[in-house]
Amino acid sequence: MADQARARRIAERTKQLVTQGLSQVVKDERVGFVTVTDVRVTGDLQHASVFYTVLGSDEDREVAAEILQTYRGRLRSFVGKGLGIRLTPTLEFILDALPEDAQHMDELLQEVARRDAELAAGRRASGYAGEEDPYRKPRTAEEDQGSSGA
């Protein structure tokens, strides 16, 4: 079992090599805009999960997934030559849901901002339920003279 620091270094180098391999090894123009977002390597360095995103529609994502599956062996060979370690990790390509999650968070933040604006408008339009200043204050000398002279 490799230590955590070595696994991180191998994961980072694998990310660089897969990105480089997408432009050098994959000769399919349909692959589109694929971005490798993260790579996670198991502790024994046998398996690498490659997270990626695709700029475009759902159809573009499906085509990119098929192409990555097709070229997985060639990319693994490319990564193995670049890593120079005894065992090359198997590659598993996983579509990263990061852009969809970010878009959902943006929508939620816009909804919160809209509700806050509605509440602020409601506060400006409303008045006090009772007196404006309900707290008792000490009487002044003028108030005492006005009440005793009457």
Side-chain angles (χ1 to χ4, degrees):
M1 182 119 175
D3 62 303
Q4 295 285 339
R6 183 169 187 225
R8 278 194 302 271
R9 285 193 312 268
I10 299 264
E12 189 60 35
R13 182 68 179 140
T14 302
K15 180 180 176 182
Q16 293 170 354
L17 289 169
V18 168
T19 303
Q20 186 179 358
L22 286 174
S23 62
Q24 293 180 2
V25 176
V26 178
K27 299 296 183 188
D28 197 332
E29 65 275 350
R30 298 176 302 148
V31 78
F33 296 107
V34 174
T35 304
V36 177
T37 57
D38 192 21
V39 174
R40 295 191 186 138
V41 178
T42 57
D44 59 358
L45 308 177
Q46 296 289 317
H47 182 75
S49 299
V50 180
F51 295 90
Y52 69 97
T53 61
V54 179
L55 184 65
S57 65
D58 289 336
E59 182 180 327
D60 295 334
R61 289 183 190 98
E62 291 172 11
V63 169
E66 291 174 12
I67 292 171
L68 289 173
Q69 253 338 90
T70 303
Y71 282 90
R72 183 170 60 167
R74 293 182 195 156
L75 285 169
R76 183 177 181 216
S77 295
F78 184 80
V79 168
K81 289 175 187 172
L83 285 176
I85 58 176
R86 185 171 63 92
L87 296 173
T88 303
T90 59
L91 301 178
E92 177 187 10
F93 291 97
I94 302 169
L95 182 64
D96 199 354
L98 185 67
E100 290 83 12
D101 290 345
Q103 181 181 2
H104 180 67
M105 289 298 287
D106 284 342
E107 291 170 359
L108 290 176
L109 289 172
Q110 289 173 358
E111 176 68 19
V112 166
R114 185 187 59 78
R115 287 185 183 178
D116 282 349
E118 287 176 5
L119 287 173
R123 279 194 303 268
R124 283 190 295 269
S126 65
Y128 294 101
E131 296 178 24
E132 188 171 325
D133 189 8
Y135 298 104
R136 293 185 181 186
K137 295 184 181 91
R139 291 183 156 194
T140 62
E142 295 175 1
E143 290 177 355
D144 286 338
Q145 289 178 359
S147 62
S148 62

